[in-house]
Amino acid sequence: MPYVIGIDLGGTAIKLGRYDAQGACAASVTVPTPQPPQPEQVVEAMVAAIALVDPQNEAIAIGVGTPGPADAAGRVARVAINLGWQDVPLADWLEAKTGKPTVLANDANCAGLGEAWLGAGRNLRDMILLTLGTGVGGAILLDGKLFTGRQGTGGELGLITLNPQGPACNSGNRGSLEQYCSVQAIRRRTGLEPEELGRRAKAGDRAAIAFWQEYGRDLGAGIASLVYVLTPEAVILSGGMSASFEFFYPTLWDELQTRVLPSSREGLQVLPAALGNQAGQIGAAKLAWGWVREQGLGSDRRAQDGRMQPPAPTHLQQMEMAYWLVSEQARFNAGFLARVSHELRSPINGVIGLQQLILNDLCDSPEEEREFVRQANGAAQKMLGLLDQAIAISRISQDFRKLELQPVQLVGTFLTVQDRTQLLARNRNLQLEIHPPSPDDYVLADPQWLQQGLVSLVSGAIAWMQDGSIRLMAEIDAATKQAHLILEDTRPAESWKESVGQLAGFAQMPEITRDSGYTPIDQLSPGLTLLAFQAIFEAMGGRLELLSIPTDISPLSRLQLTLPLIQEED
């Protein structure tokens, strides 16, 4: 199993761990940051710590969260105030020492990535994270992607102005949010540490409680400005002050209710962070995994000296797989809309016939006329349902972009597959059973590619069947952290034209090139279609297997798609 290293570089400590693609930590360690933190000595300490968590040299990349902005390419630590650094090429130095590709990001951005991946922001697409610590940092995720601005220095949320006449800030600003909500600000305002104020508030000390209430009002006023600009689903609060969340949340929320229009805060949540001081290194690992997937880097790209080799270009593979899915979706959509058009004829004819009976005064009684009206209404409702399905299908995007792996809720995917295939099965009088798993079950996948892949596999089975049943279900194996998505159907044995051996031979064919004579998907047999989807799901870290084909003993075809499982307790 491939791993990456996630590193949270701080002024006093360096925290790092080795993580797999699902976020499971195989090993972690915390070492002191050398003092004074000269860049060369810090790099040596990081390299030594990496050897501790990755003694077998299994990691394929490194992600680092630095205490300050990195450049847009993730190579240079531009400013790290508490380390005294400026324009340190940290990624280049670590790559030279370890032979592993390295990418950098601001530590607050890494914390945001960590919370979005495995913490309080899991399953959210648009969120803000505020780190309430020695300073106030921030991270912005929009549509599931980290926003850092055009120079890589965006998202400095703690430096927005709260009071133009307030205390001077190290940034050159005055009255920034940091000057009211950081640890240093609390010390200046109260002479106490946040932990002590939290203990006093828990003991019922009125002065401490009153302080936290005032703190909530200040923080709420700052967050209000951010909400107006970004309208996130949630604002997540991390850092030392989040330990006193219960004392400042009520006034913070009241401030948001007062300052922010309902239309701008609809569905807004304010949540405490869930990952504690591990968020930075977890997010740094997520940063590294994002780079790995973007570059198409795999665990098999090692030279004999154990160092990573540059990844082979994968643009052609991405285009090839996207073409398969776009072709398959277009073919599916065209067939679906044609079937809907055919289905509409029956209720339309029914409505016309019933109206003619009523208009020609052929009803024997008012009761019969009402019954005809009721039947016409039922036919009209059926037409509306079919039109709704047609509209939904017509709106589905055919723009399959680069694979973007993220937690995907299986129940939603299963229900979408059911909506898009039930009419096909009904037209052929086939029994289609979709058994959604628990809402708590998530897999690591690209949601659009997974959805279209399952729709294509189910509709492909329907196309080969004249009668029988189809069943899509999930078997969750928490012990191995795998989800097995199983498609069982009673298609005829002859639908599988190639043997498993032939498929294995096809798998060794060279990649499609401009001169290779690519065969459109609608001309391929089920065996080659299966091979195409095997490649697509393997690109997502999954595995598609044909476990059985119909025999005299068992009439079932059985396909199994295995994907990495992500559950709430992970």
Side-chain angles (χ1 to χ4, degrees), residues 20-24 114-119 121-123 275 282 286 289 293 404-411 437-447 450 475-485 540-541 562-570:
D20 67 17
Q22 289 74 54
E115 290 291 340
W117 188 22
L118 300 174
R122 190 168 167 175
N123 310 319
L275 299 179
I282 292 173
K286 177 65 172 176
W289 274 120
R293 290 174 185 124
E404 181 181 343
L405 300 187
Q406 58 189 269
V408 178
Q409 188 183 39
L410 282 177
V411 63
S438 165
D440 295 332
D441 293 326
Y442 290 74
V443 294
L444 188 70
D446 181 291
L450 173 61
E475 293 181 356
I476 305 301
D477 190 341
T480 62
K481 291 192 174 183
Q482 291 183 324
H484 304 294
L485 313 186
M540 291 194 287
T562 301
L563 291 168
L565 177 67
I566 304 175
Q567 290 182 302
E568 289 296 333
E569 62 267 19
D570 286 353

Coordinates of all heavy atoms in Angstrom, one line a residue, residues 20-24 114-119 121-123 275 282 286 289 293 404-411 437-447 450 475-485 540-541 562-570:
D20 N -2.0 6.6 4.6 CA -2.5 6.0 3.4 C -3.5 6.8 2.7 O -3.9 7.9 3.2 CB -3.0 4.5 3.6 CG -4.2 4.5 4.4 OD1 -4.9 5.5 4.6 OD2 -4.6 3.4 4.9
A21 N -4.1 6.4 1.6 CA -5.0 7.2 0.8 C -6.3 7.4 1.5 O -7.0 8.3 1.1 CB -5.2 6.6 -0.6
Q22 N -6.6 6.6 2.5 CA -7.9 6.8 3.2 C -7.7 7.7 4.5 O -8.7 7.9 5.2 CB -8.5 5.5 3.6 CG -9.1 4.7 2.4 CD -8.0 4.1 1.6 OE1 -7.1 3.4 2.1 NE2 -8.0 4.4 0.3
G23 N -6.5 8.1 4.7 CA -6.2 8.9 5.9 C -5.8 8.2 7.2 O -5.7 8.8 8.2
A24 N -5.6 6.9 7.0 CA -5.2 6.1 8.2 C -3.7 6.3 8.4 O -2.9 6.3 7.5 CB -5.4 4.6 7.9
G114 N -7.2 19.1 6.3 CA -7.4 18.0 7.2 C -8.8 17.9 7.7 O -9.4 16.8 7.7
E115 N -9.4 19.1 8.2 CA -10.7 19.1 8.7 C -11.7 18.7 7.6 O -12.8 18.1 7.8 CB -11.1 20.4 9.3 CG -10.4 20.7 10.6 CD -10.8 19.8 11.8 OE1 -12.0 19.2 11.7 OE2 -10.1 19.6 12.8
A116 N -11.5 19.2 6.4 CA -12.4 18.9 5.2 C -12.3 17.4 4.8 O -13.3 16.8 4.4 CB -12.0 19.8 4.0
W117 N -11.1 16.8 5.0 CA -10.9 15.4 4.6 C -11.5 14.4 5.7 O -12.3 13.6 5.3 CB -9.4 15.2 4.4 CG -9.1 13.8 3.8 CD1 -9.8 13.0 3.1 CD2 -7.8 13.2 3.9 NE1 -9.1 11.9 2.7 CE2 -7.9 12.0 3.2 CE3 -6.6 13.5 4.6 CZ2 -6.8 11.1 3.1 CZ3 -5.5 12.7 4.4 CH2 -5.6 11.5 3.7
L118 N -11.1 14.6 6.9 CA -11.5 13.6 7.9 C -12.1 14.2 9.2 O -12.4 13.5 10.1 CB -10.2 12.8 8.3 CG -9.5 12.1 7.2 CD1 -8.2 11.5 7.8 CD2 -10.4 11.0 6.7
G119 N -12.3 15.5 9.2 CA -12.8 16.1 10.4 C -14.2 16.7 10.3 O -15.0 16.2 9.7
G121 N -15.3 19.2 8.8 CA -15.8 19.7 7.5 C -16.0 18.6 6.5 O -16.2 18.8 5.3
R122 N -15.9 17.3 6.9 CA -16.1 16.2 6.0 C -17.5 16.3 5.3 O -18.5 16.6 6.0 CB -16.0 14.9 6.8 CG -16.0 13.6 6.1 CD -15.6 12.6 7.1 NE -15.8 11.2 6.5 CZ -15.4 10.1 7.2 NH1 -14.9 10.2 8.4 NH2 -15.6 9.0 6.6
N123 N -17.5 16.1 4.0 CA -18.7 16.1 3.2 C -19.2 17.5 2.9 O -20.3 17.6 2.3 CB -19.8 15.3 3.8 CG -19.4 13.9 4.3 OD1 -18.6 13.2 3.5 ND2 -19.8 13.5 5.4
L275 N -10.2 17.5 14.7 CA -8.9 16.8 14.7 C -7.9 17.3 15.6 O -6.8 16.7 15.7 CB -8.4 16.8 13.2 CG -9.3 16.2 12.2 CD1 -8.6 16.3 10.8 CD2 -9.6 14.7 12.4
I282 N -2.4 15.9 9.1 CA -3.3 15.2 8.3 C -3.6 16.0 7.0 O -3.6 15.4 5.9 CB -4.6 15.0 9.1 CG1 -4.4 14.0 10.2 CG2 -5.7 14.5 8.1 CD1 -5.6 13.8 11.1
K286 N -3.0 15.1 3.1 CA -4.0 15.3 2.0 C -3.4 16.1 0.9 O -3.7 15.8 -0.3 CB -5.2 16.0 2.6 CG -6.3 16.3 1.6 CD -6.9 15.0 1.0 CE -8.1 15.3 0.1 NZ -8.6 14.1 -0.5
W289 N -1.3 13.8 -1.1 CA -2.1 12.9 -2.0 C -2.7 13.6 -3.2 O -2.8 13.0 -4.3 CB -3.2 12.3 -1.1 CG -2.8 11.0 -0.4 CD1 -2.8 10.8 1.0 CD2 -2.3 9.8 -1.0 NE1 -2.3 9.6 1.3 CE2 -2.0 8.9 0.1 CE3 -2.0 9.4 -2.3 CZ2 -1.5 7.7 -0.1 CZ3 -1.5 8.1 -2.5 CH2 -1.2 7.3 -1.4
R293 N -2.1 12.4 -7.0 CA -3.2 12.1 -8.0 C -3.1 13.0 -9.2 O -3.4 12.6 -10.3 CB -4.5 12.2 -7.3 CG -4.7 11.0 -6.3 CD -5.9 11.1 -5.5 NE -6.0 10.1 -4.5 CZ -6.1 10.2 -3.2 NH1 -6.2 11.5 -2.7 NH2 -6.1 9.2 -2.4
E404 N -11.0 13.5 -9.6 CA -10.8 14.2 -8.4 C -11.4 13.3 -7.3 O -12.6 13.2 -7.1 CB -11.5 15.5 -8.4 CG -11.3 16.3 -7.1 CD -12.1 17.6 -7.1 OE1 -12.5 18.1 -8.2 OE2 -12.3 18.2 -6.0
L405 N -10.5 12.6 -6.6 CA -10.9 11.6 -5.5 C -11.4 12.4 -4.3 O -10.7 13.3 -3.8 CB -9.8 10.6 -5.2 CG -9.4 9.8 -6.4 CD1 -8.4 8.7 -5.9 CD2 -10.5 9.1 -7.1
Q406 N -12.5 12.0 -3.7 CA -13.0 12.6 -2.5 C -13.9 11.6 -1.8 O -14.4 10.6 -2.5 CB -13.7 13.9 -2.9 CG -14.8 13.6 -3.9 CD -15.4 14.9 -4.4 OE1 -16.4 15.5 -3.8 NE2 -14.9 15.4 -5.5
P407 N -14.3 11.8 -0.6 CA -15.3 10.9 0.0 C -16.7 11.0 -0.7 O -17.2 12.1 -0.9 CB -15.4 11.4 1.5 CG -14.1 12.1 1.7 CD -13.8 12.7 0.4
V408 N -17.2 9.9 -1.1 CA -18.5 9.9 -1.8 C -19.5 9.0 -1.0 O -19.2 7.8 -0.7 CB -18.3 9.3 -3.2 CG1 -19.7 9.2 -3.9 CG2 -17.4 10.1 -4.0
Q409 N -20.6 9.6 -0.7 CA -21.6 8.8 0.1 C -22.3 7.8 -0.9 O -22.9 8.1 -1.9 CB -22.7 9.8 0.6 CG -23.7 9.1 1.6 CD -24.7 10.0 2.1 OE1 -25.2 10.9 1.3 NE2 -25.1 9.9 3.3
L410 N -22.2 6.5 -0.5 CA -22.7 5.5 -1.4 C -24.3 5.5 -1.5 O -24.8 5.3 -2.6 CB -22.3 4.1 -0.8 CG -20.9 3.7 -1.1 CD1 -20.6 2.4 -0.4 CD2 -20.6 3.6 -2.6
V411 N -25.0 5.9 -0.5 CA -26.4 5.8 -0.6 C -26.9 6.8 -1.7 O -27.8 6.4 -2.5 CB -27.1 6.1 0.8 CG1 -26.8 7.5 1.3 CG2 -28.6 5.9 0.7
P437 N -26.7 1.1 0.8 CA -26.1 0.8 2.1 C -26.4 1.9 3.1 O -27.2 2.8 2.8 CB -24.6 0.8 1.8 CG -24.4 1.7 0.6 CD -25.7 1.6 -0.2
S438 N -25.8 1.9 4.2 CA -26.0 2.8 5.3 C -25.6 4.2 4.9 O -24.6 4.4 4.1 CB -25.2 2.4 6.6 OG -25.2 3.5 7.5
P439 N -26.3 5.3 5.3 CA -25.8 6.7 5.0 C -24.4 7.0 5.6 O -23.8 8.0 5.2 CB -26.9 7.5 5.7 CG -28.1 6.7 5.8 CD -27.6 5.3 6.0
D440 N -23.9 6.2 6.5 CA -22.6 6.4 7.1 C -21.5 5.9 6.3 O -20.3 6.1 6.6 CB -22.5 5.8 8.5 CG -23.5 6.4 9.5 OD1 -23.8 7.6 9.3 OD2 -23.9 5.7 10.4
D441 N -21.8 5.2 5.2 CA -20.8 4.5 4.4 C -20.3 5.4 3.2 O -21.1 5.8 2.4 CB -21.2 3.2 3.9 CG -21.4 2.2 5.0 OD1 -20.7 2.2 6.0 OD2 -22.4 1.4 4.9
Y442 N -19.0 5.7 3.2 CA -18.5 6.6 2.2 C -17.3 5.8 1.5 O -16.6 5.0 2.2 CB -17.9 7.9 2.7 CG -19.0 8.9 3.2 CD1 -19.7 8.6 4.3 CD2 -19.3 10.0 2.4 CE1 -20.7 9.5 4.7 CE2 -20.3 10.9 2.8 CZ -21.0 10.6 4.0 OH -21.9 11.5 4.4
V443 N -17.0 6.0 0.3 CA -15.9 5.5 -0.4 C -15.0 6.6 -1.0 O -15.5 7.7 -1.2 CB -16.3 4.5 -1.5 CG1 -16.9 3.3 -1.0 CG2 -17.1 5.2 -2.6
L444 N -13.8 6.3 -1.2 CA -12.9 7.3 -1.9 C -13.0 7.1 -3.4 O -12.6 6.0 -3.9 CB -11.5 7.1 -1.4 CG -10.4 8.1 -1.8 CD1 -10.7 9.4 -1.1 CD2 -9.0 7.7 -1.6
A445 N -13.5 8.1 -4.1 CA -13.8 7.9 -5.5 C -14.0 9.3 -6.1 O -14.1 10.3 -5.4 CB -15.0 7.0 -5.8
D446 N -14.1 9.4 -7.4 CA -14.6 10.5 -8.1 C -16.1 10.4 -8.3 O -16.6 9.4 -8.9 CB -13.9 10.7 -9.5 CG -14.4 11.9 -10.2 OD1 -15.6 11.9 -10.6 OD2 -13.6 12.8 -10.4
P447 N -16.9 11.3 -7.7 CA -18.4 11.0 -7.7 C -19.0 10.9 -9.1 O -19.8 10.0 -9.3 CB -18.9 12.2 -6.9 CG -17.8 13.3 -7.0 CD -16.6 12.5 -7.0
L450 N -17.7 7.6 -10.8 CA -18.3 6.4 -10.2 C -19.8 6.3 -10.5 O -20.2 5.2 -10.9 CB -18.2 6.5 -8.6 CG -18.9 5.4 -7.8 CD1 -18.3 4.1 -8.2 CD2 -18.7 5.7 -6.3
E475 N -21.5 -4.6 0.0 CA -21.1 -5.4 1.2 C -19.9 -4.6 1.8 O -18.9 -4.3 1.1 CB -20.6 -6.8 0.8 CG -21.8 -7.7 0.4 CD -21.3 -9.1 0.0 OE1 -20.1 -9.3 0.0 OE2 -22.2 -9.9 -0.3
I476 N -20.1 -4.1 3.0 CA -19.1 -3.3 3.7 C -18.2 -4.1 4.6 O -18.7 -4.9 5.5 CB -19.8 -2.2 4.5 CG1 -20.8 -1.4 3.7 CG2 -18.8 -1.3 5.2 CD1 -20.2 -0.7 2.5
D477 N -16.9 -4.1 4.4 CA -16.0 -4.8 5.2 C -15.2 -3.8 6.0 O -14.1 -3.3 5.5 CB -15.0 -5.6 4.3 CG -14.2 -6.6 5.1 OD1 -14.0 -6.4 6.3 OD2 -13.7 -7.6 4.5
A478 N -15.6 -3.5 7.2 CA -15.0 -2.5 8.1 C -13.6 -3.0 8.5 O -12.7 -2.1 8.7 CB -15.8 -2.2 9.3
A479 N -13.4 -4.3 8.6 CA -12.0 -4.8 9.1 C -10.9 -4.4 8.0 O -9.8 -4.0 8.4 CB -12.1 -6.3 9.3
T480 N -11.3 -4.6 6.8 CA -10.3 -4.3 5.7 C -10.4 -2.9 5.1 O -9.7 -2.5 4.2 CB -10.3 -5.3 4.6 OG1 -11.6 -5.3 4.0 CG2 -10.1 -6.7 5.2
K481 N -11.4 -2.2 5.6 CA -11.7 -0.8 5.1 C -12.0 -0.8 3.6 O -11.4 -0.1 2.8 CB -10.6 0.2 5.5 CG -10.6 0.5 6.9 CD -9.7 1.6 7.2 CE -9.8 2.0 8.7 NZ -9.0 3.2 9.0
Q482 N -12.8 -1.8 3.2 CA -13.2 -1.9 1.8 C -14.7 -2.0 1.6 O -15.4 -2.5 2.4 CB -12.5 -3.1 1.1 CG -11.0 -3.0 1.0 CD -10.4 -4.2 0.3 OE1 -10.9 -5.4 0.5 NE2 -9.4 -4.0 -0.5
A483 N -15.2 -1.4 0.5 CA -16.6 -1.5 0.2 C -16.7 -2.3 -1.1 O -16.0 -2.0 -2.1 CB -17.2 -0.1 0.0
H484 N -17.5 -3.4 -1.1 CA -17.6 -4.2 -2.3 C -19.0 -3.9 -2.9 O -20.0 -4.2 -2.3 CB -17.5 -5.7 -1.9 CG -16.3 -6.1 -1.3 ND1 -15.0 -6.0 -1.9 CD2 -16.0 -6.5 0.0 CE1 -14.1 -6.4 -1.1 NE2 -14.7 -6.7 0.1
L485 N -19.1 -3.3 -4.1 CA -20.3 -3.0 -4.7 C -20.5 -4.1 -5.7 O -19.7 -4.3 -6.6 CB -20.2 -1.6 -5.5 CG -19.7 -0.5 -4.6 CD1 -19.8 0.8 -5.4 CD2 -20.3 -0.4 -3.3
M540 N -9.1 5.1 -9.9 CA -9.6 5.7 -8.7 C -9.2 4.9 -7.5 O -9.7 5.1 -6.4 CB -11.2 5.7 -8.7 CG -11.8 6.7 -9.7 SD -13.5 6.9 -9.5 CE -14.2 5.4 -10.1
G541 N -8.2 3.9 -7.7 CA -7.8 3.1 -6.6 C -8.7 1.9 -6.3 O -8.6 1.3 -5.2
T562 N -14.6 -3.1 -6.0 CA -14.0 -2.8 -4.6 C -13.4 -1.5 -4.6 O -12.6 -1.1 -5.4 CB -13.0 -3.9 -4.3 OG1 -13.6 -5.2 -4.3 CG2 -12.4 -3.7 -2.9
L563 N -13.8 -0.7 -3.6 CA -13.3 0.7 -3.4 C -12.9 0.9 -2.0 O -13.4 0.3 -1.1 CB -14.4 1.7 -3.8 CG -14.7 1.8 -5.3 CD1 -16.0 2.7 -5.4 CD2 -13.6 2.4 -6.1
P564 N -11.9 1.8 -1.7 CA -11.5 2.1 -0.3 C -12.7 2.7 0.4 O -13.4 3.6 0.0 CB -10.4 3.1 -0.5 CG -9.9 3.0 -1.9 CD -11.1 2.5 -2.7
L565 N -12.9 2.2 1.6 CA -14.0 2.6 2.5 C -13.6 3.7 3.4 O -12.5 3.6 4.0 CB -14.5 1.4 3.3 CG -15.6 1.6 4.3 CD1 -16.9 2.0 3.6 CD2 -15.8 0.3 5.1
I566 N -14.4 4.7 3.6 CA -14.2 5.7 4.6 C -15.5 5.7 5.5 O -16.6 6.0 4.9 CB -14.0 7.1 4.0 CG1 -12.8 7.0 3.0 CG2 -13.7 8.1 5.0 CD1 -12.6 8.3 2.2
Q567 N -15.3 5.5 6.8 CA -16.5 5.5 7.7 C -16.3 6.6 8.7 O -15.2 7.1 8.9 CB -16.6 4.1 8.3 CG -17.1 3.1 7.4 CD -17.3 1.7 8.0 OE1 -16.3 1.2 8.6 NE2 -18.5 1.2 8.0
E568 N -17.4 6.9 9.4 CA -17.4 8.0 10.3 C -16.4 7.8 11.4 O -15.8 8.8 11.9 CB -18.8 8.2 11.0 CG -19.8 8.7 10.0 CD -19.5 10.1 9.5 OE1 -18.8 10.9 10.3 OE2 -19.9 10.5 8.5
E569 N -16.2 6.5 11.8 CA -15.2 6.3 12.9 C -13.8 6.3 12.5 O -12.9 6.2 13.4 CB -15.6 5.0 13.6 CG -15.4 3.8 12.7 CD -16.7 3.4 12.0 OE1 -17.6 4.2 12.0 OE2 -16.8 2.2 11.6
D570 N -13.5 6.4 11.2 CA -12.1 6.4 10.8 C -11.3 7.6 11.3 O -11.9 8.7 11.3 CB -12.0 6.4 9.3 CG -12.4 5.1 8.7 OD1 -12.6 4.2 9.5 OD2 -12.5 5.0 7.5

